[in-house]
Structure formats: C-alpha cells, structure tokens
Amino acid sequence: MLESYLPILLFILLGIGFGVGPLLAGFVLGAHRPDAEKSSTYECGFEPFEDAHMKFDVRYYLVAILFIIFDLEIAFLFPWAVVLDEIGIFGLLAMFLFLAILVVGFVYEWMKGALEWE
C-alpha cells in the first residue's frame, strides 16, 4: 500500500527541486560583484547606486508612456485590420475614436517636451 504513494513523493520532490534549484543556481552564480561596466549608468540617466531621493528627469517616464501608447495602438490595429470588412462603418468610427484618444496622449507628451533631448 505504501508503494502507491511513491509517485506522489517523487512528484513532490521533483517540484521542490525545480522550484529551489534555479534559486540556488542563481544565488551561487550571481554571488560575485559586477564589474564597473555593468554598474554604470544605463538608459536611466542617473547613477544606479546613489541616494534614492535624488531628483531626476521626468521625461523618462513620459517616454515610457509614449511607448505604451504606441504599443497599445499596434496591439489593437492588427486585429481590427483583419476584421474590418466584418465590423463595417461602426468599427471604422470606433477605431477613429480610439486613435483620437491616443493622439491626445501623444500631443500631451509633445507639449511636455518629452520628444526633445538635450
């Protein structure tokens, strides 16, 4: 009767192994301190290991918002283009409304100066 529980025990042990194994491997392999090149400023505009309360430029967040705007636009334009014949004029007007809302976000970014780099 106990031999019928062996697959369950093996399943639990394998689950624990697959869960803890990558964590231990990451801890062991990532234990060394990164070199100066990896600790340097990368796409964020400020040093990564300084005071957390320092001022930084908000334009980075505005660029992230701009990326989300265009990412959403493309994510909705492809399926819309596939079924445009089936949804008719209502679908066309709905997409124009959607694009108008996205243009408002784009104009906001433009007016805030997020597209101008120094």
Side-chain angles (χ1 to χ4, degrees), residues 4 10 15 26-27 30 39 49 51 55 79 89 91-92 106 113 116:
S4 64
L10 287 176
F27 181 74
S39 297
F49 297 109
D51 185 21
K55 292 182 180 183
I89 191 74
L92 185 66
F106 180 71
E116 299 171 9

Side-chain angles (χ1 to χ4, degrees), residues 57-109:
D57 201 355
V58 179
R59 284 185 291 175
Y60 297 109
Y61 291 115
L62 293 176
V63 169
I65 291 171
L66 186 66
F67 171 76
I68 291 172
I69 287 171
F70 286 116
D71 192 39
L72 279 175
E73 179 183 2
I74 295 301
F76 285 115
L77 274 176
F78 280 134
W80 171 80
V82 170
V83 296
L84 181 59
D85 292 338
E86 299 169 15
I87 57 177
I89 191 74
F90 177 74
L92 185 66
L93 294 176
M95 186 52 70
F96 280 145
L97 177 66
F98 175 71
L99 291 176
I101 292 170
L102 290 181
V103 166
V104 168
F106 180 71
V107 169
Y108 171 77
E109 292 249 351

